Amino acid sequence: MRSPDALASSSAPHPVVRVLAADGRAVVQDLGRGGLAHLGVSGSGAFDRAAHRLSNRLVGNPEHAAALEVLLGGVRLALPAGCWLAVTGAWGLVTLDGELLDPHTAVRTSLPRELELGPATHGVRYTVAVRGGVAMAETLGSRSRDTLAALGPAPLAAGDVLPIGPEPEDPVPPADLVPVDPPTTGLAELDVRPGPRLEWLTADARDLLLGVEWQVSARSDRTGVRLEGARLDLARHGELASEGMLRGSIQISPDGAPTVLGPDHPVTGGYPVALVVTEASLDRLAQLRPGQPVRLRLVAGRP
Amino acid sequence: MRLLPYGDRALLAEFATQEAVLGALAAWQDAPPGVLELVPAARTVLVRIDPGVLGLRHLEHWLTTAPRAEAALPAGTEVEIPVRYDGGDVAVVAQAWACSPEEVAERHAAREWVCAFVGFAPGFPYLVPADGTAALPPVARRSTSRTTVPAGAVALAAEYCGIYPRSSPGGWQLIGTTDAALWDAARGDPALVTPGTRVRFTRVVP
């Protein structure tokens, strides 16, 4: 039974998560730091925000509580007894003391347990929430690691001790399982709308951008997801003065490849933005696997 | 001003000059609810909204009817930044400015600069001469970037003067170094220089 009272009586005064193994690609994230672009600081925050919110809801946390974003796996964590946890986002080989853990399910450790995040088979980014949240110190109002600006808690490393925050007000909700499909491994579609410099592309390049089946490059990270498969020619040349960038801006690099900017994008950039991924499609970007086919679909009509 | 599309969460306002960008930025500070962020840059202000609160059509209407202080630079705070003019690219800049290396320091420190925008890294200011007529000849970027530029490096590229808040790769021409802390995330105002801040460089002899 999921009684919060039982939890309170069994938890240690200062419970912590100990990192037993990590490969430098797992980071702490909350919903980011908005409104600081004029200082050169971008939003950062969870790449897959829906997965982040869901993991927190499953353990009764506020949606913005800090959780762990684990890229591809390779992480082992020692959890204390009486710790509620939930893993969302990517699907893969996730075990608790060697037993497979179902995705999108809140579980409570009756004893100290070892959580292992093995290779992801669907999507690439796991979100691991613990009840109370990961209580690292805040930087500029957020616990998010901005990997480009090097703000917020350093990426997880073996030996790290992550404090768990105080018991939240809300109980762990009674729903045992939230039915969410795993991230697709097939063709992913991203809805896009025109960006400010679409006309910098030749007509052929515009057709290619929206017609080609792109492939996700292995050279993708929280700064941007690079797409490969065709070379886009610019109709206009010359340098573009730096202008503001957003999560989801699709920049055309000088080598003719589109890059979709992620949460740790630079605040300003000098490559033309041809398209912008819609708000509703942004989370999908977080789970694209290297080599996965992607199609950009232009949404018609005014937003 | 020209408004350009920017997906379903923003519009990009484009201007003819850097001064007009700063004027619009100052005039738009009392933006309606739903405007989350104004991102100034060289010729543009990116206006990001929460579409659940303010529609793009309403934003467009507000941007086209809101008052704008065209070509008027706002009077921001003033900051003095001591510089040792010991950068590795002083000779390159001297050539671009057709002057002696010694005069690079003089010309740079003689001007009052104003921060047009912050980008590239947290707290990295893009400074332009506060008096538009005091512009210096543009300086080309290095053909290959340095893998490491030290924190506090004062550098030039195109029409801008920048200061590297922390050590990073960089392609700008280095003319000097400052000990001023451009960025400290733990400080109440983490960025020493923000858009509109006026900057005076004072020469420090090492």
Side-chain angles (χ1 to χ4, degrees):
Chain A
M1 199 182 83
R2 293 176 176 179
S3 153
D5 297 336
L7 174 63
S9 62
S10 64
S11 41
H14 297 291
V16 297
V17 173
R18 290 177 192 281
V19 180
L20 304 175
D23 60 3
R25 293 182 301 187
V27 287
V28 175
Q29 293 295 336
D30 55 21
L31 292 177
R33 38 182 85 81
L36 299 175
H38 62 292
L39 304 181
V41 174
S42 66
S44 192
F47 206 153
D48 187 340
R49 297 165 305 177
H52 183 91
R53 292 190 170 105
L54 175 60
S55 68
N56 275 326
R57 283 204 305 276
L58 283 166
V59 296
N61 283 344
E63 288 185 342
H64 59 78
L68 305 179
E69 182 177 289
V70 176
L71 180 60
L72 290 168
V75 168
R76 281 189 300 124
L77 305 170
L79 303 173
C83 176
W84 280 101
L85 74 141
V87 180
T88 60
W91 289 32
L93 197 63
V94 179
T95 59
L96 198 56
D97 274 1
E99 279 187 42
L100 273 177
L101 185 68
D102 288 329
H104 306 157
T105 308
V107 292
R108 180 175 176 269
T109 57
S110 49
L111 297 166
R113 298 275 190 197
E114 194 177 306
L115 177 70
E116 178 160 9
L117 297 138
T121 56
H122 294 71
V124 290
R125 287 182 170 85
Y126 298 105
T127 304
V128 183
V130 293
R131 182 164 168 81
V134 182
M136 314 293 286
E138 290 186 355
T139 302
L140 301 173
S142 165
R143 297 183 166 103
S144 288
R145 175 64 175 181
D146 183 327
T147 57
L148 183 71
L151 293 173
L156 300 195
D160 283 354
V161 176
L162 315 175
I164 297 176
E167 186 68 14
E169 283 174 22
D170 292 340
V172 174
D176 270 342
L177 179 100
V178 177
V180 177
D181 288 334
T184 179
T185 54
L187 177 68
E189 292 196 313
L190 298 176
D191 287 346
V192 295
R193 285 188 177 277
R197 309 297 171 190
L198 184 56
E199 81 277 14
W200 278 48
L201 292 175
T202 62
D204 284 352
R206 286 199 292 268
D207 289 346
L208 276 176
L209 182 58
L210 291 162
V212 157
E213 205 168 273
W214 296 94
Q215 283 197 320
V216 176
S217 166
R219 287 162 58 192
S220 299
D221 55 23
R222 286 180 48 89
T223 302
V225 174
R226 196 180 142 89
L227 302 178
E228 290 169 346
R231 189 196 156 86
L232 304 172
D233 290 323
L234 294 178
R236 288 181 62 167
H237 294 280
E239 239 173 87
L240 176 70
S242 282
E243 56 192 32
M245 294 291 141
L246 286 184
R247 184 195 289 223
S249 294
I250 302 183
Q251 280 187 337
I252 311 302
S253 333
D255 66 358
T259 297
V260 194
L261 298 186
D264 297 348
H265 64 87
V267 167
T268 57
Y271 299 144
V273 171
L275 299 168
V276 183
V277 175
T278 64
E279 177 80 20
S281 281
L282 279 180
D283 288 340
R284 223 167 290 164
L285 194 61
Q287 300 298 354
L288 299 177
R289 297 171 66 87
Q292 189 172 345
V294 174
R295 210 181 266 283
L296 305 176
R297 190 169 57 189
L298 190 65
V299 182
R302 288 190 64 153
Chain B
M1 182 187 72
R2 192 163 74 115
L3 287 179
L4 299 167
Y6 210 117
D8 61 357
R9 290 163 286 140
L11 287 174
L12 189 70
E14 189 178 50
F15 299 87
T17 65
Q18 181 77 76
E19 288 73 24
V21 169
L22 281 164
L25 186 68
W28 290 348
Q29 286 307 308
D30 56 347
V35 171
L36 299 179
E37 206 154 46
L38 301 171
V39 189
R43 295 290 179 273
T44 56
V45 179
L46 178 62
V47 186
R48 183 167 71 88
I49 57 164
D50 176 349
V53 178
L54 183 75
L56 278 178
R57 255 176 261 207
H58 287 102
L59 175 65
E60 189 178 331
H61 177 75
W62 184 77
L63 290 175
T64 47
T65 55
R68 257 193 342 272
E70 297 270 8
L73 286 181
T77 54
E78 283 180 34
V79 172
E80 197 178 289
I81 294 181
V83 185
R84 295 183 297 278
Y85 284 94
D86 56 2
D89 301 321
V90 169
V92 177
V93 174
Q95 202 162 28
W97 288 358
C99 67
S100 71
E102 179 62 21
E103 281 171 330
V104 167
E106 279 170 28
R107 290 188 183 194
H108 183 255
R111 270 158 188 75
E112 186 186 32
W113 299 79
V114 63
C115 175
F117 61 101
V118 178
F120 177 66
F124 183 104
Y126 285 73
L127 307 170
V128 292
D131 172 2
T133 60
L136 291 158
V139 174
R141 283 162 188 268
R142 290 172 57 87
S143 52
T144 45
S145 289
R146 287 187 169 86
T147 50
T148 314
V149 171
V154 178
L156 302 171
E159 65 197 278
Y160 299 102
C161 172
I163 311 168
Y164 286 80
R166 63 184 172 101
S167 175
S168 72
W172 290 33
Q173 308 282 0
L174 309 185
I175 58 166
T177 322
T178 180
D179 295 329
L182 268 288
W183 176 259
D184 179 356
R187 206 159 55 189
D189 291 319
L192 180 64
V193 178
T194 57
T197 303
R198 287 170 182 259
V199 174
R200 281 246 176 234
F201 292 101
T202 54
R203 189 170 183 182
V204 176
V205 180

